Amino acid sequence: MRDDVKAELAAGLPAEAILTDPDVVASYAHDMASFSDVGTPDFVVRPRSVEEVQHVMRTATRFGVPVVPQGARTGLSGGANAVDGCIVLSLTAMDRILEIDPVERIAVVEPGVVNAVLSRAVAEQGLSYPPDPSSWEQCTIGGNIGTGAGGLCCVKYGVTAEYVLGLDVVLADGRLLSTGRRTAKGVAGYDLTRLFVGSEGTLGVVVKAVLALKPAPRPQLTLVAEFPSAAAAGAAVCAVMESGHAPSLLELMDATTIRAVNDMARMGLPESTEALLLAGYDSADPAADLAALAELCTAAGATEVVPADDPAESEMLLEARRLALPALERISTASMIDDVCVPRAKLADMLDGVAAIAAKFELTIGVCAHAGDGNTHPIVCFDAQDPDQTRRAHESFEAIMALGLSLGGTITGEHGVGLLKKDWLARELGPVGTELQRGVKAVFDPLGLLNPGKVL
């Protein structure tokens, strides 16, 4: 620990904002990713104002100390992992909703606001903030912006990037940059706002966000459709999207995931199926839309289609999908969560390919997916105490990444690159794309202090 850095930090921060107890500091060292290196930070700082963040960055620049910005550390790619000797900059104490404007349909928030807290606050004014990651009860808006998070309703309403209108960002040298707008339209200059979304804290520290809001949706009704194969489920997804339907939800769980959810929550999901499609509508006549969708599912080969009778039953089915990850995590001592997005027409190929990989490496791999987006989440379950299983888990993860790219997909749809997929990003971007992105990084962070070693 450097006393000179600590003294400089203390000159501009309250004492309680600087955490140095080794056990406490260690608790901030990593997010939820597997197979990602974790360093030992010197300090954790928890600022409460923009000025305090600026002081941290000026101190870091003066002494050449790396800084790792963090939200709630629910990320799954190692993007919030500490590096040795760094300052961990936790933004969770900056958790105020500064403004909700129902006329302009915007919210202005600090980065530490929890997604669910914002969603409930705007709902009180008849509005909604649609992006809803599965970790929405814990994850923060700043973290969502950093990773470009998605969620269950993105098939209709879109991802985080589509709701970020403007940002205040503290740069590596402590300067404050304001980007974007708070108007409904605006195209002045390069779109720096969009550049920061998904940048994982490598270009600057988000300290305020202007977010677009939507009118509150109608109550959602859902149905579940059982399929005898991934091919049949994939055909149904393609038929739904090609027909012009606009479901608010189109999610998929494979047989492994269904069994895991049943074992955990005793929800009575059908275990005689190979793929379960969960569809929802929040339209003016959701029952009619579901009936039309049910016909498409039946034509694609569904063995049974069961609509929910009311919003409460619909919510129960949605909870089953949200339980997919924790249910699979219970199977073994460790899990590795992938995030590969493929063209919708290749969804069945992706699922069948993952099943073949699971058989090859003799591991349990469950798949849940935002099927309407082609965004799959293969979850590799393994015993972390078994070196051979750990090796096979890592190799299966690599094979899944390669499969996704071979199908014309991308290595991450919503979880980000972080440490976990850094090498794969270079393969996806190619040499020219990688060179240009590194050039952008150098403009914003010439000393390479912001979240070093991540993404590129």
Side-chain angles (χ1 to χ4, degrees):
M1 182 183 300
R2 293 181 55 174
D3 290 338
D4 52 352
V5 176
K6 182 179 178 181
E8 186 72 15
L9 289 172
L13 296 172
E16 65 271 15
I18 306 173
L19 310 179
T20 58
D21 179 271
D23 292 336
V24 174
V25 170
S27 71
Y28 284 82
H30 60 87
D31 61 19
M32 297 177 66
S34 301
F35 297 124
S36 297
D37 292 336
V38 179
T40 303
D42 276 355
F43 313 98
V44 174
V45 295
R46 301 185 73 242
R48 290 188 174 274
S49 69
V50 173
E51 292 75 19
E52 289 177 4
V53 175
Q54 290 181 284
H55 176 70
V56 172
M57 293 312 307
R58 291 183 185 120
T59 300
T61 295
R62 177 183 173 187
F63 291 97
V65 178
V67 175
V68 176
Q70 286 185 349
R73 304 190 307 282
T74 57
L76 296 164
S77 65
N81 285 11
V83 298
D84 287 338
C86 76
I87 298 171
V88 165
L89 179 57
S90 172
L91 283 306
T92 54
M94 296 179 66
D95 59 358
R96 295 179 299 161
I97 299 174
L98 302 173
E99 179 184 356
I100 297 173
D101 187 331
V103 174
E104 300 301 334
R105 293 182 179 173
I106 60 171
V108 182
V109 305
E110 292 183 328
V113 172
V114 171
N115 185 295
V117 172
L118 174 63
S119 295
R120 294 183 182 113
V122 300
E124 292 177 358
Q125 300 199 34
L127 298 167
S128 73
Y129 178 68
D132 62 339
S134 293
S135 59
W136 76 308
E137 292 282 6
Q138 295 86 35
C139 64
T140 62
I141 295 298
N144 293 169
I145 292 170
T147 59
L152 303 187
C153 69
C154 293
V155 62
K156 180 175 182 178
Y157 292 105
V159 296
T160 297
E162 296 167 65
Y163 291 87
V164 182
L165 299 178
L167 295 170
D168 279 5
V169 182
V170 174
L171 301 177
D173 59 8
R175 289 179 295 166
L176 182 63
L177 168 69
S178 292
T179 75
R181 65 193 195 277
R182 50 183 293 146
T183 54
K185 296 167 65 176
V187 292
Y190 297 126
D191 191 353
L192 296 182
T193 303
R194 195 66 176 255
L195 182 62
F196 281 104
V197 179
S199 66
E200 302 186 43
T202 61
L203 302 181
V205 181
V206 172
V207 290
K208 187 171 73 174
V210 180
L211 305 173
L213 304 175
K214 297 286 187 182
R218 298 177 176 90
Q220 179 175 250
L221 288 181
T222 63
L223 64 72
V224 290
E226 303 176 38
F227 292 91
S229 66
V237 171
C238 291
V240 169
M241 302 309 294
E242 185 178 14
S243 68
H245 278 260
S248 51
L249 184 80
L250 196 58
E251 297 288 306
L252 182 146
M253 294 187 287
D254 71 353
T256 300
T257 306
I258 293 167
R259 287 192 295 270
V261 171
N262 276 342
D263 289 344
M264 177 181 178
R266 308 298 178 192
M267 299 194 76
L269 298 176
E271 296 190 7
S272 59
T273 181
E274 288 300 311
L276 192 71
L277 196 65
L278 174 62
Y281 281 93
D282 57 8
S283 55
D285 190 355
D289 286 326
L290 285 179
L293 188 143
E295 292 182 4
L296 293 173
C297 288
T298 301
T303 55
E304 188 169 4
V305 180
V306 181
D309 292 329
D310 54 44
E313 188 176 355
S314 293
E315 185 58 33
M316 183 196 72
L317 293 173
L318 182 57
E319 181 63 18
R321 169 61 182 86
R322 290 191 185 276
L323 288 174
L325 173 55
L328 285 165
E329 287 179 329
R330 294 174 71 248
I331 290 178
S332 55
T333 63
S335 61
M336 192 172 193
I337 305 161
D338 214 327
D339 167 42
V340 177
C341 193
V342 297
R344 297 181 185 100
K346 298 293 185 180
L347 186 61
D349 294 332
M350 184 67 188
L351 266 66
D352 286 339
V354 171
I357 290 169
K360 175 182 177 181
F361 290 98
E362 299 180 328
L363 292 169
T364 297
I365 305 178
V367 181
C368 53
H370 308 309
D373 300 327
N375 194 174
T376 67
H377 295 308
I379 301 169
V380 182
C381 306
F382 64 100
D383 183 355
Q385 306 305 314
D386 183 330
D388 183 60
Q389 275 202 33
T390 300
R391 174 189 59 79
R392 284 184 279 130
H394 194 276
E395 290 178 3
S396 70
F397 177 85
E398 298 287 301
I400 291 168
M401 299 287 286
L403 171 65
L405 287 182
S406 74
L407 294 174
T410 176
I411 61 168
T412 176
E414 58 187 4
H415 291 173
V417 176
L419 287 168
L420 193 59
K421 300 184 176 183
K422 181 179 175 181
D423 293 340
W424 283 97
L425 179 64
R427 301 188 204 187
E428 179 173 332
L429 294 179
V432 175
T434 300
E435 178 185 355
L436 289 174
Q437 294 217 8
R438 286 175 176 161
V440 171
K441 163 74 170 172
V443 168
F444 284 90
D445 182 22
L447 299 180
L449 299 179
L450 279 167
N451 217 5
K454 316 294 174 57
V455 184
L456 293 168

